[in-house]
């Protein structure tokens, strides 16, 4: 039976897309106000929240009730509390917290998307630096960015610990591993492993600062290098995590070949990104993420599994597999005979 008002349903769909930024900005503001962390301590009335978060009464009721309608808060008629999803992912005291990345989205990516039309007309990046060296000059900004990226990759890190057979390998290199969050988690979970985080020299101090808290001794080390030009250390496994989408296609092919040369026989290359379907029909998030990458870095984009497979075969890899890693990322595994 057809809808009584198909035109109305179509309009609702269009307006739902058009007002999507209202939802995002409401969430970003709640994170910035530390609302979910406050409510993790216990339910609170609107007046109590106004006092503790510094909210004006003119807008607080609509704000809090909108968060209830969005499924991020619950209300018993008097007090507000976190929903299960907010309790798990938006309380900054929990290891599953993703608010660091949401904060980054609010101050960096949200403004950049306001300049999407300019990107479409010019093809030029609209936010940030093409040079990682220039970006790394601001240590405090880099520390905040790294925390945001670790927050966004928490689910990936948890999956990589178990979804790959590490038992037959002794060493790995996380190429573009930032401050070593994945490296530290992997060696902590698998005591037989030794890991190297490879990234630009300015990140060494942040690596030492971050990894010290994991208690993994010298099994997690930092290797300062430019992976496009400097020699890569040999290892059983190489990892490109949220890295290839930062580069143009020619650079991706070069990086894959360089990884192949550094992997020991019998080893593997792991690649994870938000891959686009081979027929480019979706996922919607991956296609939008590709636009996002173009906003913030020249030459950057998401890519398809077929494109990735071509780079891997050309480099000499065999036994290439692709599987879902998280709700948004897919993992490509390739072997070196």
């Amino acid at each position: 039976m057809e809808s009584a008002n198909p035109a109305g349903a179509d309009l609702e769909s269009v307006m739902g897309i058009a007002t999507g930024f209202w939802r995002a900005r409401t969430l970003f503001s709640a994170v910035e106000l530390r609302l979910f962390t406050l409510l993790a301590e216990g339910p609170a009335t609107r007046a109590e929240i106004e006092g503790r978060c510094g909210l004006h009464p003119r807008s607080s009721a609509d704000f809090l009730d909108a968060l209830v309608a969005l499924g991020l808060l619950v209300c018993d008629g008097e007090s507000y509390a976190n929903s299960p999803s907010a309790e798990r992912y938006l309380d900054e005291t929990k290891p599953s917290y993703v608010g660091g990345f949401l904060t980054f989205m609010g101050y960096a990516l949200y403004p950049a998307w306001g300049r999407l039309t300019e990107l479409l007309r010019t093809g030029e990046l609209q936010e940030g630096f093409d040079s990682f060296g220039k970006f790394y000059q601001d240590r405090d900004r880099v520390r905040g960015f790294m925390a945001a990226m670790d927050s966004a990759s928490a689910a990936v890190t948890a999956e990589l610990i178990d979804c790959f057979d590490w038992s037959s390998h002794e060493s790995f290199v996380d190429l573009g591993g930032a401050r070593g969050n994945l490296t530290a988690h992997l060696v902590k979970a698998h005591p037989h492993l030794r890991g190297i985080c490879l990234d630009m020299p300015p990140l060494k101090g942040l690596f030492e600062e971050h990894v010290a808290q994991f208690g993994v001794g010298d099994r997690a080390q930092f290797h300062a290098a430019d992976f496009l030009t400097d020699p890569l250390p040999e290892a059983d496994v190489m990892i490109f995590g949220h890295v290839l989408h930062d580069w143009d296609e020619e650079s991706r092919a070069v990086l894959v070949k360089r990884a192949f040369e550094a992997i020991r026989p019998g080893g593997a290359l792991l690649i994870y990104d938000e891959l686009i379907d081979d027929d480019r029909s979706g996922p919607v998030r991956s296609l939008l993420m590709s636009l996002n990458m173009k906003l913030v870095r020249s030459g950057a984009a998401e890519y398809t599994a077929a494109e990735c497979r071509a780079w891997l075969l050309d480099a000499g890899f065999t036994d290439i597999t692709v599987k879902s890693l998280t709700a948004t990322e897919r993992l490509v595994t390739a072997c070196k005979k």
Side-chain angles (χ1 to χ4, degrees):
M1 181 176 177
E2 293 187 2
S3 170
N5 186 6
D10 289 345
L11 177 59
E12 182 178 1
S13 175
V14 170
M15 294 307 296
I17 296 171
T19 58
F21 72 97
W22 296 358
R23 300 165 184 250
R25 188 60 258 179
T26 299
L27 171 58
F28 296 158
S29 291
V31 171
E32 290 170 16
L33 291 164
R34 303 182 67 245
L35 172 63
F36 305 107
T37 300
L38 180 157
L39 292 178
E41 300 172 4
T45 65
R46 177 160 67 94
E48 289 169 339
I49 293 171
E50 287 173 355
R52 296 178 67 180
C53 290
L55 304 184
H56 193 284
R58 178 174 181 268
S59 54
S60 62
D62 286 347
F63 175 61
L64 294 171
D65 290 340
L67 289 168
V68 172
L70 288 169
L72 295 169
L73 297 182
V74 295
C75 182
D76 62 6
E78 181 178 347
S79 297
Y80 294 88
N82 287 333
S83 69
S85 59
E87 189 72 15
R88 180 175 184 180
Y89 295 113
L90 299 174
D91 170 13
E92 63 189 45
T93 67
K94 291 184 171 60
S96 52
Y97 178 67
V98 299
F101 184 64
L102 300 185
T103 299
F104 168 70
M105 292 178 74
Y107 75 73
L109 302 185
Y110 188 86
W113 274 84
R115 300 188 291 276
L116 177 61
T117 304
E118 188 66 16
L119 166 71
L120 298 173
R121 287 174 172 159
T122 67
E124 298 175 356
L125 81 163
Q126 300 297 310
E127 180 77 21
F129 303 105
D130 268 337
S131 168
F132 284 113
K134 185 181 293 186
F135 174 71
Y136 290 154
Q137 291 174 4
D138 187 338
R139 188 180 179 90
D140 288 338
R141 182 179 183 183
V142 172
R143 183 184 288 107
F145 177 76
M146 295 301 168
M149 295 303 102
D150 290 347
S151 168
S153 298
V156 171
T157 300
E159 289 295 328
L160 281 177
I161 288 172
D162 297 319
C163 76
F164 178 74
D165 182 10
W166 294 102
S167 64
S168 57
H169 303 291
E170 297 179 352
S171 62
F172 68 88
V173 178
D174 187 9
L175 296 154
R179 63 175 184 171
N181 192 62
L182 175 61
T183 300
H185 275 95
L186 285 176
V187 299
K188 188 174 181 66
H190 300 285
H192 73 284
L193 282 177
R194 300 182 69 85
I196 293 175
C197 170
L198 185 149
D199 217 308
M200 301 292 283
L203 290 179
K204 183 177 181 180
L206 292 177
F207 170 88
E208 293 170 346
E209 173 184 285
H210 183 65
V211 172
Q213 63 187 297
F214 287 83
V216 293
D218 63 354
R219 291 191 301 112
Q221 298 179 338
F222 186 84
H223 184 92
D226 181 334
F227 54 33
L228 276 170
T229 57
D230 294 330
L232 301 181
E234 287 190 353
D236 297 332
V237 179
M238 296 277 175
I239 304 170
F240 281 125
H242 295 153
V243 167
L244 295 187
H245 72 175
D246 283 328
W247 302 90
D248 59 31
E249 185 166 354
E250 180 181 357
S251 298
R252 293 171 194 164
V254 169
L255 287 170
V256 168
K257 287 181 179 179
R258 300 198 86 222
F260 179 83
E261 293 166 358
I263 294 171
R264 298 187 181 110
L269 175 63
L270 308 183
I271 298 171
Y272 61 86
D273 265 321
E274 295 196 24
L275 301 185
I276 296 170
D277 293 341
D278 288 347
D279 64 2
R280 296 190 57 85
S281 61
V284 171
R285 177 188 160 97
S286 298
L287 291 165
L288 294 175
M289 175 60 84
S290 194
L291 279 175
N292 182 77
M293 295 306 300
K294 289 177 167 67
L295 282 163
V296 299
R297 186 164 170 79
S298 298
E302 298 301 329
Y303 50 90
T304 67
E307 290 171 322
C308 187
R309 186 183 297 272
W311 307 325
L312 292 165
L313 290 173
D314 186 58
F317 287 101
T318 60
D319 300 329
I320 301 165
T321 62
V322 182
K323 66 178 181 179
S324 294
L325 184 62
T326 68
T328 55
E329 284 91 357
R330 278 180 270 186
L331 174 68
V332 182
T333 303
C335 299
K336 177 177 179 177
K337 296 296 186 183

